Amino acid sequence: MPSSFFKIILDPSSCNLQLPTDFVSKHLMNKIPNSPIILSANGGYSWKLKIKQISDDGYCFSDGWNNVVKDSQLGFGDFLLFRPVDEVTFKLSIYSPNGCEKLLPPKLVGGDSGGGDDDHGNCEKNEDPVFTTIFARSHTKFLRFPGGFAELIGIDEEGTMMVKNLDGKEWVTGLKLDKSYRYMKRYFLSPGWACFTRENELSEGDECVFRFIRSEGKLLLAKVTKNKRSVPSGPVRKVAKRGRGRPEHQRGGDVDAVPQKSV
């Protein structure tokens, strides 16, 4: 795995950022990726960039670097720390000249589709914030808020949160800080959440829309689109085997049980 490197912004108006020569010679020489690399930062930001050659031994981040400068509001003297995640992904941390890390405002994007276990949905800015997620197997135990959602609704500590459905029934859930994220605060609902999912019959593949009702301080399950599963055309019959020593049925040893409701 390539080592991390840093750069200090001296010209915020530049449309590219030159990479350290030693970093290029040790980790990138003869294997510059043709496809865009991904640069991400706290607050849910992600940019696609290109690595281009600008001299015999000089390479730079280009084709999108101006978006990084604009979104991050980079200024003269800002200290940028790049940590490689893999060959085409970098994690960016930004420090102001005073030495303090910059916490970027949450980037919220609209959308009606969610991710799986780790992505956990898109979030959109509205009068009442909304996010959508596709129910995964892990969601039977907990629900992790998408990046930036907790900050948007004003959460900054653990506690409890009331969750309700459209029928008005409410459940008390525990609000916990996910400590696996080092560079941003993300929270999840756990104690009491399993009861909520069970009683609302949520299952893997369901698309769930959640809305935070600011006036009530409660999370509403606003919409559920059930996953389309293949359903048998006829009734499902359960076959019960004849137990040892049990008299054989007149027309065979096995009997049909009553039709079972498909799930």
Side-chain angles (χ1 to χ4, degrees):
M1 178 67 65
S3 59
S4 59
F5 67 91
F6 73 87
K7 292 288 294 184
I8 298 176
I9 296 296
L10 300 177
D11 181 10
S13 64
S14 176
C15 60
N16 58 53
L17 180 73
Q18 186 166 355
L19 304 179
T21 303
D22 286 348
F23 179 83
V24 172
S25 61
K26 290 180 180 179
H27 305 295
L28 296 181
M29 194 59 66
N30 300 322
K31 52 180 180 180
I32 303 296
N34 293 322
S35 59
I37 62 101
I38 304 298
L39 180 66
S40 63
N42 64 58
Y45 289 81
S46 180
W47 303 274
K48 289 184 179 181
L49 307 173
K50 280 275 196 177
I51 297 179
K52 288 190 174 182
Q53 187 171 6
I54 54 178
S55 63
D56 290 342
D57 59 351
Y59 290 81
C60 69
F61 284 145
S62 183
D63 291 16
W65 177 251
N66 56 330
N67 292 327
V68 180
V69 174
K70 179 181 177 181
D71 293 344
S72 305
Q73 299 181 0
L74 296 182
F76 178 84
D78 281 349
F79 180 98
L80 311 183
L81 178 62
F82 296 86
R83 296 184 178 91
V85 178
D86 54 42
E87 291 183 353
V88 294
T89 309
F90 291 83
K91 180 74 177 182
L92 170 64
S93 296
I94 306 171
Y95 297 85
S96 299
N98 62 8
C100 296
E101 183 176 6
K102 276 189 176 182
L103 297 179
L104 305 181
K107 182 179 180 67
L108 303 175
V109 294
D112 57 2
S113 62
D117 184 28
D118 194 37
D119 183 38
H120 300 279
N122 294 323
C123 178
E124 61 180 272
K125 189 173 182 180
N126 208 322
E127 183 177 351
D128 285 333
V130 175
F131 71 90
T132 304
T133 191
I134 301 298
F135 201 86
R137 184 173 301 178
S138 64
H139 288 146
T140 59
K141 299 179 180 179
F142 63 87
L143 175 71
R144 185 184 290 117
F145 290 155
F149 187 77
E151 291 88 347
L152 184 63
I153 63 178
I155 294 176
D156 59 1
E157 61 182 0
E158 297 183 332
T160 60
M161 177 174 287
M162 194 72 72
V163 184
K164 68 177 186 177
N165 59 19
L166 287 174
D167 294 330
K169 186 174 180 180
E170 299 181 346
W171 290 259
V172 178
T173 61
L175 182 65
K176 301 293 183 180
L177 175 64
D178 190 342
K179 297 180 181 179
S180 64
Y181 286 83
R182 297 175 57 188
Y183 304 108
M184 63 185 299
K185 283 189 174 182
R186 291 186 68 171
Y187 290 82
F188 64 93
L189 302 178
S190 182
W193 174 253
C195 180
F196 174 83
T197 62
R198 184 171 57 251
E199 295 190 28
N200 285 277
E201 300 181 343
L202 300 181
S203 54
E204 189 173 357
D206 292 349
E207 182 181 87
C208 303
V209 179
F210 293 93
R211 181 182 298 275
F212 184 76
I213 309 300
R214 292 185 185 275
S215 60
E216 301 178 9
K218 300 174 182 178
L219 187 68
L220 169 68
L221 176 59
K223 181 181 179 181
V224 178
T225 302
K226 300 297 292 182
N227 182 32
K228 295 180 180 179
R229 301 180 179 88
S230 57
V231 180
S233 57
V236 177
R237 292 181 176 273
K238 184 177 180 181
V239 178
K241 292 186 177 181
R242 178 170 56 89
R244 182 176 297 178
R246 176 181 173 185
E248 192 171 293
H249 191 273
Q250 184 177 359
R251 298 186 60 185
D254 296 338
V255 295
D256 287 339
V258 294
Q260 302 294 308
K261 183 178 180 182
S262 64
V263 295

